[in-house]
Amino acid sequence: MRLLVLSAASAWVLAGCVASNAPLGEMPERRMPPAIAQAVPVMNQFGAPEPAPVTRSNSQIAADFLELSFQMESGREIARLSRFEGPVTIAVVPGGPATLSADLDRLIDRLRREARIDIRRVAHGQDANITVETLPRDRMQRIVPEAACFVVPRVTSWAEFRRARNSRDMDWTTLETRDRVAVFLPNDVAPQEVRDCLHEEVAQALGPLNDLYRLPDSIFNDDNFHAVLTGFDMLILRAYYDPAIRSGMTRAEVAAVLPGILARINPRGQVGGGAGAEVATPRAWIEAVETALGPGTRDGLRVAAAERAVAIAQAEGLTDSRLAFSYFALGRLALGIDVERSVNAFLAASELYDRIAPGGIHAAHIDMQLAAFALSSGRAEDALSLSGRAMPAATRAQNAALLSTLLMIRAEALEALGRASEARQVRLDSLAWGRYGFGNSAVVGARLTEVAALSP
């Protein structure tokens, strides 16, 4: 399932508009201009993405595949691989958000082209392998409190899930072949969050059930930097549905055929030696991250948990995305408490991400935070440079919430530099992306006001 606190693409940027110790409500603010409030532009939406090719060796990808496919997020082992056999059909229960249908069609097209999965959409009421149903978030959370969205086997509706939720039928480890799966999404959140949930839950309905914090280029990662399926994810799904693999195979049986599959479908990965020994993610680190970013924890305890995650990662020699994410979480959580500590944590995360995934979505999130700091400090040129540097990655990753916030920061920086006409156009662009990233006009307007309050 997609965790609530990490699920919204806007979660990272909500804290990014606070650059002093003062609560946001106590900061001087400039209200959204009336002309903007009355003329919010039409929603912008992304077209087909162009995912970056996978750069890791096939031996490492094979190790990733096995860990993703034969273990649950809790650490429980999965004895046998399960998947759909034959063509896959997917249907949507009527009543979903207006943007859901087009986003699903784009996803299905990508799954057919990139993952080579024989999947097609059918009308609701026909027998479908995957049923997508939407409902209010609070109704979902009465049953699964921490989930933003989730996927369950052997049912086709919310009513059926409620009746069966405590039965063994809901246990993925008991499957040998997938036949019926239900995906549950919220229908009262921003379009981007619906799409993000759709990508992750449909991917897990089809393929691996695990998430790994050590993967920097995958949606199968609870850091949730990636909003849509990446090139790595499509490669994993393509291997998952290769004819050499079938439902019921054990880990050893899959491991035996996987090198040949990857050599055939990803010849560029036939480089280097064997897979390096990946350090398993310590359960104590996962618990520290979940405490820091999960619901129901006081601010002081969140910061302490993030610091604990940094310390655990360092002690365990985790110099990869797990240490970087620890610093990133600390930077976010220290924003309203200790600005200097926050900036230093973001810079430490930036240095690590520049090595792990240069120019990627991780760096874009950090640049947005640093641009907000620059704007609040009166350094408009720096805010313009940092936001401009982040925009290509935000666009490639199709993160409208991040892109909208970057554009809002740019508009304020341009205004401060006396470039009012450019600022007006950039602000309008930010609103168009904000409609998709944040939802309704009121939420977009509130975000614009928050960002405007940063400018001295």
Side-chain angles (χ1 to χ4, degrees):
M1 68 183 177
R2 196 170 182 84
L3 295 176
L4 172 64
V5 72
L6 298 177
S7 65
S10 60
W12 302 142
V13 300
L14 285 171
C17 295
V18 181
S20 76
N21 291 329
L24 189 60
E26 298 177 10
M27 297 176 66
E29 63 183 25
R30 182 169 73 227
R31 295 292 179 182
M32 184 170 62
I36 298 296
Q38 295 169 11
V40 176
V42 174
M43 179 190 297
N44 274 348
Q45 289 185 263
F46 296 100
E50 298 180 4
V54 183
T55 57
R56 295 200 294 288
S57 69
N58 281 344
S59 55
Q60 182 58 64
I61 295 169
D64 297 336
F65 182 100
L66 293 171
E67 191 170 353
L68 285 168
S69 304
F70 287 94
Q71 188 170 304
M72 300 292 291
E73 287 185 61
S74 64
R76 289 176 64 205
E77 296 295 323
I78 299 173
R80 296 182 180 276
L81 181 141
S82 67
R83 69 175 194 183
F84 295 103
E85 298 296 339
V88 181
T89 54
I90 184 167
V92 178
V93 177
T99 55
L100 174 60
S101 183
D103 281 333
L104 177 57
D105 287 342
R106 279 189 284 269
L107 174 57
I108 290 172
D109 180 64
R110 287 192 63 200
L111 289 168
R112 293 180 66 88
R113 288 186 296 104
E114 298 175 44
R116 311 289 175 88
I117 296 175
D118 184 1
I119 181 171
R120 63 184 177 88
R121 188 168 171 179
V122 296
H124 178 247
Q126 298 183 33
D127 287 337
N129 300 116
I130 302 173
T131 302
V132 178
E133 184 169 353
T134 64
L135 58 156
R137 169 164 281 173
D138 62 352
R139 189 175 168 199
M140 291 172 55
Q141 289 175 343
R142 284 198 291 269
I143 307 298
V144 188
E146 294 185 4
C149 44
F150 58 97
V151 56
V152 292
R154 297 187 173 113
V155 299
T156 60
S157 70
W158 179 254
E160 193 177 354
F161 162 66
R162 290 197 62 184
R163 289 193 298 270
R165 69 181 188 272
N166 295 319
S167 76
R168 186 168 167 77
D169 286 347
M170 297 293 96
D171 188 348
W172 286 94
T173 67
T174 64
L175 293 178
E176 286 206 7
T177 302
R178 299 183 196 182
D179 178 37
R180 296 180 302 146
V181 171
V183 169
F184 299 114
L185 312 178
N187 61 11
D188 51 1
V189 298
Q192 177 168 314
E193 187 168 355
V194 177
R195 180 208 60 189
D196 296 356
C197 276
L198 181 70
H199 274 244
E200 181 163 343
E201 304 309 334
V202 168
Q204 293 196 309
L206 290 165
L209 299 165
N210 197 5
D211 281 327
L212 300 175
Y213 276 106
R214 63 176 173 79
L215 298 177
D217 56 352
S218 176
I219 204 171
F220 297 115
N221 186 333
D222 273 335
D223 68 11
N224 285 0
F225 275 109
H226 290 282
V228 298
L229 290 168
T230 66
F232 172 85
D233 299 329
M234 288 297 184
L235 181 64
I236 291 293
L237 287 170
R238 184 176 174 184
Y240 210 90
Y241 280 83
D242 190 89
I245 289 179
R246 63 186 183 279
S247 292
M249 291 178 74
T250 65
R251 182 179 183 127
E253 289 170 336
V254 172
V257 300
L258 200 51
I261 294 172
L262 291 173
R264 174 164 34 82
I265 69 175
N266 188 43
R268 64 180 293 155
Q270 293 296 99
V271 295
E278 287 288 346
V279 179
T281 303
R283 177 54 55 179
W285 182 88
I286 294 175
E287 291 171 356
V289 168
E290 290 177 349
T291 299
L293 298 174
T297 305
R298 298 197 309 273
D299 288 348
L301 294 178
R302 290 182 189 278
V303 173
E307 290 176 328
R308 190 161 63 251
V310 170
I312 294 169
Q314 291 173 329
E316 296 290 337
L318 306 178
T319 59
D320 56 14
S321 57
R322 291 167 287 190
L323 178 58
F325 186 59
S326 303
Y327 276 121
F328 181 82
L330 178 58
R332 276 190 58 216
L333 295 168
L335 270 172
I337 299 171
D338 186 337
V339 171
E340 184 176 358
R341 178 162 50 164
S342 176
V343 171
N344 288 336
F346 281 132
L347 292 174
S350 179
E351 184 176 348
L352 287 163
Y353 282 129
D354 282 345
R355 173 177 58 81
I356 298 163
I361 188 61
H362 316 81
H365 277 285
I366 295 169
D367 281 344
M368 182 277 295
Q369 303 281 4
L370 297 176
F373 283 123
L375 182 63
S376 68
S377 302
R379 295 181 288 113
E381 290 283 6
D382 289 343
L384 206 58
S385 174
L386 286 161
S387 59
R389 187 171 71 180
M391 284 177 60
T395 303
R396 286 195 303 272
Q398 300 204 340
N399 191 323
L402 177 58
L403 184 57
S404 175
T405 303
L406 289 166
L407 288 165
M408 290 177 185
I409 291 171
R410 289 182 67 77
E412 292 303 318
L414 288 166
E415 196 88 57
L417 293 169
R419 296 157 64 178
S421 61
E422 290 178 74
R424 281 193 295 273
Q425 184 56 55
V426 170
R427 192 174 287 115
L428 283 171
D429 289 343
S430 76
L431 298 176
W433 286 115
R435 290 282 301 277
Y436 187 79
F438 297 121
N440 63 48
S441 300
V443 178
V444 178
R447 176 52 51 86
L448 188 67
T449 301
E450 289 173 352
V451 174
L454 293 175
S455 188

